[in-house]
């Protein structure tokens, strides 16, 4: 398996391609047989292969029409039939010892599941059981993907960052805006890069650079690169503005959507480098069309890091103690602390993305909406697992509605859908079907959207630390963030992405 030269699965010989096609047909049949067996014996038919490809009829767009310059927000409807079937699958059956592939980013439309793989973005058509070579489209980039955003526009476009080339040490200094339905690159441009650390100078050959990030807000693609922030018009890629990091502070990450908050790291040269006082953190609200600063929130001395799960309303995730998020802060319209929500030494869990990609707003199990922030609790139980999701009022910090998973399953927040919370219910050891559910903070009611039971090979794809989970247009998708071959021995078969939709979809 390879994604982009050298070597390249996409430029393999016709003989190798024919061999792989035979393998894929065999794998598909074996996988289909296994799923039929599971349906007959284990789950009563919760997950089967079916037709598809015309798009789900189980969602509608959010409260008003969304144009091409809007950041997409959708409200999912309950499907007519909650029984799940596979909507799309992407797998390989020849992952060899020592092989490793980065798979940053996953996005969905009503027709396409898109996935980043090394230096390529691919599109998979709904209703297909795909392997490398079966893609609806492929968008090759000059170098590996080095940054991405989960955000998508109203007309299904998004942005990724990529390196100047695929040689070791190449700088991450290009941004591409692409169409997820067609795989067409709408525009691309380069941006500056700064030296790693508190230095303000540009990196030169061989110097590590500050990690850049990208996000979307209305009409604007925003890139932070350490030495400042650049903003580009979605319609054409023209640079709208550039702000330069000043003093001891550097722009390191941003959160978009309905507003723009830039995360800043500020260096204190008088403190020891290994001290928690060496770096202070700020969240700086910026007008996305002009770059003008509106207000700045400064975290307390000693805070180890901050993330921004929501720019509007502004919510800050704070690491004030050991490992992980220790409290959530809601801010008012002027950046002042409104409420403090303490996670009680791990009783409640807030997870944000901590990998090689700087994504300040990627907090997959923190959902903000309806005037609340929703978190999951840690797992409890000895023989069977259980947990709960709980809401906290952004005005007061008080707890609101609590949703229990019940014994034998776990609940994980996924995202808001209007004023409802979407969550994935993961069954313990296939005792019950897993599912996508809607939780109503006003009534405390849980509504099933999709029931399914993942094949054994895909069990670990529900783990939010190592996979992307996306709900869009009546479907739920699971995709790995990276994949490794076996330590030794024969090549193995691996799921890379999997989508599930309602049996009602034809």
């Amino acid at each position: 398996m390879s994604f982009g030269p050298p070597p390249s699965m996409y430029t393999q010989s016709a003989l190798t391609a024919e061999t792989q096609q035979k393998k894929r047909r065999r794998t598909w049949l074996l996988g289909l047989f296994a799923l039929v067996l599971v349906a007959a014996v284990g789950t009563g038919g919760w997950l089967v292969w079916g037709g598809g490809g015309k798009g789900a009829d189980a969602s509608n767009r959010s409260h008003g029409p969304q144009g091409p310059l809007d950041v997409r927000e959708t409200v999912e409807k309950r499907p007519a039939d909650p029984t799940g079937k596979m909507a799309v699958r992407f797998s390989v059956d020849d992952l060899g010892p020592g092989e490793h592939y980065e798979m940053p980013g996953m996005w969905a439309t009503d027709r396409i599941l898109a996935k980043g793989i090394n230096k390529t973005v691919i599109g998979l058509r709904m209703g297909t059981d795909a392997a490398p070579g079966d893609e609806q489209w492929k968008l090759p980039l000059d170098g590996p993907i080095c940054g991405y955003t989960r955000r998508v526009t109203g007309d299904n476009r998004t942005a990724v960052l990529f390196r100047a080339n695929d040689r070791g040490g190449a700088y991450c200094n290009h941004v591409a805006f692409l169409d997820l339905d067609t795989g067409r690159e709408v525009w691309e441009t380069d941006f500056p890069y700064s030296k790693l650390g508190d230095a303000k100078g540009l990196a030169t050959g061989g110097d590590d650079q500050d990690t850049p990030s990208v996000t979307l807000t209305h009409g604007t693609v925003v890139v932070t690169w350490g030495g400042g922030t650049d903003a580009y018009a979605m319609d054409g890629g023209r640079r709208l503005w550039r702000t330069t990091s000043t003093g001891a502070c550097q722009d390191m990450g941003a959160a978009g959507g309905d507003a723009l908050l830039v995360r800043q790291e500020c260096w204190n040269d008088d403190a020891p480098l290994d001290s928690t006082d060496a770096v202070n953190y700020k969240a700086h609200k910026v007008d996305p069309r002009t770059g003008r600063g509106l207000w700045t929130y400064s975290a307390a001395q000693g805070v180890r890091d901050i993330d921004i799960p929501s720019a509007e309303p502004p919510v800050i995730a704070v690491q004030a103690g050991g490992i992980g998020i220790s409290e959530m802060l809601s801010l008012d319209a002027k950046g002042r602390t409104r409420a403090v929500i303490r996670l009680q030494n791990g009783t409640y869990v807030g997870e944000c993305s901590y990998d090689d990609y700087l994504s300040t707003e990627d907090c997959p199990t923190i959902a903000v909406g309806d005037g609340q922030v929703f978190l999951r609790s840690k797992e409890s139980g000895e023989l069977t697992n259980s947990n709960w999701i709980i809401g906290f009022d952004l005005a007061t910090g008080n707890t609101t509605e609590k949703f229990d998973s019940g014994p034998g399953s776990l609940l994980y927040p996924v995202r808001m859908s209007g004023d409802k919370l979407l969550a994935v219910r993961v069954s313990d050891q296939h005792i019950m079907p897993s599912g996508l559910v809607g939780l109503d903070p006003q009534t405390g009611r849980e509504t099933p959207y999709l029931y399914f039971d993942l094949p054994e090979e895909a069990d670990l794809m529900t783990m939010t630390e190592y996979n992307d989970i996306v709900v869009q247009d009546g479907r739920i998708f699971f995709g790995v963030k990276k994949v490794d071959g076996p330590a030794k021995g024969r090549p193995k078969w691996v799921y890379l992405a999997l989508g599930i939709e309602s049996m009602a979809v034809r």
Side-chain angles (χ1 to χ4, degrees):
M1 169 188 166
S2 180
F3 297 95
S8 176
M9 173 68 81
Y10 299 141
T11 57
Q12 64 186 334
S13 70
L15 178 61
T16 305
E18 182 180 358
T19 301
Q20 291 298 329
Q21 187 64 34
K22 291 178 180 177
K23 284 185 179 180
R24 288 197 294 270
R25 283 197 292 267
R26 184 180 69 250
T27 300
W28 186 350
L29 291 173
L30 289 173
L32 180 58
F33 175 74
L35 290 176
V36 171
L37 200 61
V38 167
V41 178
T43 67
W46 293 117
L47 179 59
V48 295
W49 256 112
K54 288 194 174 182
D57 56 4
S59 74
N60 61 350
R61 299 299 174 190
S62 75
H63 301 292
Q66 290 184 301
L69 302 183
D70 294 321
V71 177
R72 185 179 71 185
E73 293 182 9
T74 53
V75 179
E76 301 293 322
K77 285 184 177 180
R78 184 184 182 186
D81 184 346
T83 306
K85 68 177 181 181
M86 281 191 184
V88 64
R89 182 174 70 180
F90 185 49
S91 62
V92 293
D93 60 4
D94 61 345
L95 195 64
E99 286 192 273
H100 170 85
Y101 297 93
E102 294 290 318
M103 302 191 66
M106 184 173 75
W107 311 267
T109 76
D110 60 341
R111 294 184 288 161
I112 294 292
L113 177 65
K115 196 83 180 75
I117 306 175
N118 190 21
K119 57 178 292 185
T120 306
V121 185
I122 67 166
L124 306 167
R125 184 172 55 83
M126 297 300 170
T128 59
D129 184 19
D134 299 329
E135 303 88 345
Q136 178 75 7
W137 53 258
K138 295 191 295 286
L139 175 62
L141 303 169
D142 290 337
I145 297 169
C146 51
Y148 62 95
T149 176
R150 292 166 64 99
R151 298 194 183 277
V152 176
T153 67
D155 63 347
N156 297 330
R157 298 179 178 188
T158 193
V160 298
L161 307 181
F162 61 97
R163 297 187 182 277
N165 53 64
D166 57 5
R167 294 191 295 271
Y171 292 128
C172 180
N173 67 332
H174 284 75
V175 56
F177 194 54
L178 61 131
D179 188 312
L180 295 170
D181 282 324
T182 65
R184 181 177 65 91
E185 185 180 86
V186 182
W187 54 261
E188 76 166 72
T189 189
D190 59 352
F191 56 88
Y193 37 88
S194 66
K195 195 177 298 182
L196 180 68
D198 58 353
K200 292 297 187 296
L202 292 181
T204 56
D207 291 332
D208 290 332
Q209 70 174 115
D210 284 324
T211 306
S213 78
V214 62
T215 190
L216 308 180
T217 186
H218 180 78
T220 312
V221 178
V222 179
V223 176
T224 69
W225 48 275
T229 298
D230 284 10
Y232 305 93
M234 288 180 179
D235 52 352
R238 175 177 58 92
R239 196 177 80 198
L240 299 173
W241 50 264
R242 170 178 291 169
T243 60
T244 304
S245 299
T246 58
C249 294
Q250 295 177 287
D251 294 350
M252 298 290 289
D258 291 336
L260 177 62
L261 288 183
V262 175
R263 172 184 174 273
Q264 295 183 323
E265 294 183 2
C266 302
W267 297 82
N268 180 5
D269 292 333
D270 296 330
L273 288 177
D274 58 353
S275 166
T276 57
D277 295 335
V279 184
N280 302 121
Y281 297 91
K282 298 180 179 180
H284 185 51
K285 186 167 186 178
V286 176
D287 183 326
R289 297 304 289 179
T290 66
R292 181 172 64 91
L294 302 176
W295 52 253
T296 300
Y297 163 81
S298 297
Q301 196 81 12
V303 165
R304 295 174 181 269
D305 206 348
I306 65 170
D307 288 281
I308 309 174
S310 172
E312 183 57 44
V315 176
I316 309 297
V318 175
Q319 295 184 42
I323 299 175
I325 296 168
S326 54
E327 57 191 30
M328 309 287 297
L329 306 178
S330 68
L331 307 181
D332 66 14
K334 295 184 177 180
R336 299 170 300 198
T337 301
R338 191 178 176 200
V340 179
I341 299 163
R342 293 183 172 83
L343 274 59
Q344 300 183 11
N345 294 321
T347 299
Y348 306 114
V349 181
E351 295 160 314
C352 292
S353 178
Y354 300 109
D355 51 27
D356 295 334
Y357 309 95
L358 180 57
S359 186
T360 296
E361 61 188 349
D362 188 3
C363 299
T365 60
I366 301 174
V368 179
D370 194 39
Q372 301 172 71
V373 57
F374 297 92
L375 302 170
R376 70 176 180 92
S377 76
K378 65 180 181 182
E379 301 173 14
S380 61
E382 296 181 0
L383 298 178
T384 57
N385 289 324
S386 65
N387 75 336
W388 62 86
I389 291 175
I390 194 161
F392 295 87
D393 189 284
L394 293 180
T396 65
N398 296 333
T399 59
T400 55
E401 192 63 51
K402 178 180 177 182
F403 301 93
D404 281 295
S405 71
S409 67
L410 296 170
L411 278 172
Y412 296 93
V414 176
R415 70 167 174 89
M416 297 301 296
S417 174
D419 57 0
K420 306 295 191 299
L421 172 66
L422 296 178
V424 61
R425 176 183 289 280
V426 180
S427 176
D428 190 8
Q429 298 180 356
H430 303 269
I431 296 172
M432 305 177 294
S434 296
L436 174 69
V437 298
L439 306 176
D440 189 336
Q442 302 300 319
T443 65
R445 182 176 302 163
E446 176 179 322
T447 302
Y449 280 49
L450 286 171
Y451 289 119
F452 54 86
D453 190 26
L454 296 183
E456 183 179 353
E457 298 87 349
D459 262 353
L460 298 182
M461 297 183 79
T462 59
M463 299 177 66
T464 55
E465 305 98 308
Y466 309 109
N467 303 278
D468 290 310
I469 300 177
V470 173
V471 175
Q472 186 61 42
D473 290 293
R475 304 181 177 102
I476 184 169
F477 303 92
F478 303 90
V480 301
K481 293 182 177 181
K482 59 184 66 176
V483 63
D484 292 285
K488 59 183 179 178
R490 301 176 61 185
K492 67 176 181 178
W493 179 44
V494 180
Y495 274 79
L496 303 178
L498 174 66
I500 297 162
E501 66 187 2
S502 168
M503 286 290 290
V505 178
R506 295 289 182 264

